[in-house]
Amino acid sequence: MEKLINKEISDQLKTIFKDLPEPVQILFFNSKTQNCDYCEQTYQLLSEIVELSDQMALESYDIEADAEVAKRYKVERVPGIVIASRKDNIVLDSGVKFSGIPAGHEFSSLISAITLVSNGNSGLSEETRQWLSTLDQPVHLQVFVTTTCPYCPNAVTLAHRMALENKNIQAEMVEASEFYDLSNEYGVSGVPHTVINYGKGEVVGAVPEGMLIEEMKRALSMN
């Protein structure tokens, strides 16, 4: 089978991953019953990535057969990816997720997510961290993207940083063309488009962290 990651990119990734401080567990979800055009490709991509570092491991699940695992990690779509941390063989959900293949520009979002979870440092401003430390309500961030969008990885990584800072936040990249019905439900016409708490708030474009926080506050005030 032809590799998806060429030698040049593979060598670059080895350099990026050689100093990963903490182990990362990648959970992949597919389906034998749903039509999943990119499941096989996504699994191959993840398999090639975990080969590049001893600090990474990959587990594969069926979203129907392993419904309890999918529920535990709040995975609802395939292909689904969870980037989790692993401490003393215990897998800890970081709230960092992907729905759809992280190809094209979103490949960089996947690499960023792995390094982010391994480092355990969100890199957010002190002001943002302080507010997030007080957040005690669930927040679901869905960042709709396309693989050809150069601005989308910034929006995805910002959402993932938020999730890393507070366990009440789930941040999910959603490939808009793979999940057209969901994109249509939320009126996604341009990307990146971040939907907060299933439509209670939204941000269009790659915005600064302060702007996303303000919209999160507004969405939470509608509860």
Side-chain angles (χ1 to χ4, degrees):
M1 184 182 292
E2 187 179 347
K3 283 191 171 287
L4 297 174
I5 303 174
N6 65 34
K7 187 179 185 306
E8 183 184 357
I9 300 296
S10 177
D11 288 344
Q12 289 175 11
L13 292 176
K14 283 178 185 174
T15 302
I16 292 169
F17 293 147
K18 73 180 176 64
D19 294 321
L20 289 177
E22 296 294 336
V24 172
Q25 187 76 37
I26 301 177
L27 291 77
F28 168 73
F29 291 83
N30 62 10
S31 172
K32 290 185 178 68
T33 60
Q34 296 182 41
N35 182 24
C36 183
D37 293 338
Y38 293 101
C39 275
E40 190 175 332
Q41 222 176 341
T42 303
Y43 183 72
Q44 184 186 341
L45 182 66
L46 296 174
S47 298
E48 290 180 23
I49 286 172
V50 298
E51 288 174 0
L52 302 175
S53 170
D54 292 339
Q55 287 285 67
M56 288 185 282
L58 174 64
E59 292 179 322
S60 180
Y61 297 96
D62 183 283
I63 200 167
E64 285 92 19
D66 303 302
E68 282 301 311
V69 181
K71 184 179 178 183
R72 187 187 318 150
Y73 291 99
K74 301 179 176 64
V75 174
E76 298 176 352
R77 283 165 277 281
V78 292
I81 304 167
V82 176
I83 310 295
S85 60
R86 197 173 77 244
K87 296 190 190 304
D88 302 323
N89 291 322
I90 297 171
V91 178
L92 303 169
D93 186 7
S94 303
V96 174
K97 297 177 172 59
F98 294 81
S99 291
I101 187 168
H105 287 287
E106 284 311 311
F107 183 69
S108 66
S109 297
L110 177 62
I111 304 309
S112 294
I114 291 168
T115 56
L116 194 64
V117 170
S118 179
N119 285 306
N121 182 354
S122 71
L124 295 168
S125 70
E126 189 56 37
E127 184 181 3
T128 296
R129 289 185 192 212
Q130 284 181 1
W131 182 77
L132 289 172
S133 71
T134 68
L135 179 66
D136 58 1
Q137 299 176 67
V139 173
H140 188 209
L141 302 173
Q142 291 172 294
V143 186
F144 287 82
V145 305
T146 61
T147 57
T148 57
C149 163
Y151 310 105
C152 290
N154 286 340
V156 172
T157 299
L158 176 58
H160 285 163
R161 289 181 190 279
M162 299 275 180
L164 198 65
E165 199 64 42
N166 188 305
K167 67 181 188 314
N168 291 307
I169 300 175
Q170 297 285 318
E172 172 193 11
M173 179 215 85
V174 181
E175 211 293 320
S177 58
E178 283 183 61
F179 302 100
Y180 177 77
D181 289 347
L182 193 63
S183 302
N184 198 40
E185 180 183 341
Y186 291 124
V188 175
S189 57
V191 291
H193 185 139
T194 303
V195 174
I196 304 167
N197 283 1
Y198 308 99
K200 288 190 174 173
E202 64 177 1
V203 169
V204 179
V207 300
E209 62 187 72
M211 194 177 293
L212 180 56
I213 289 289
E214 286 307 311
E215 187 62 11
M216 285 166 64
K217 289 177 181 176
R218 195 188 72 77
L220 288 167
S221 73
M222 297 175 67
N223 286 350

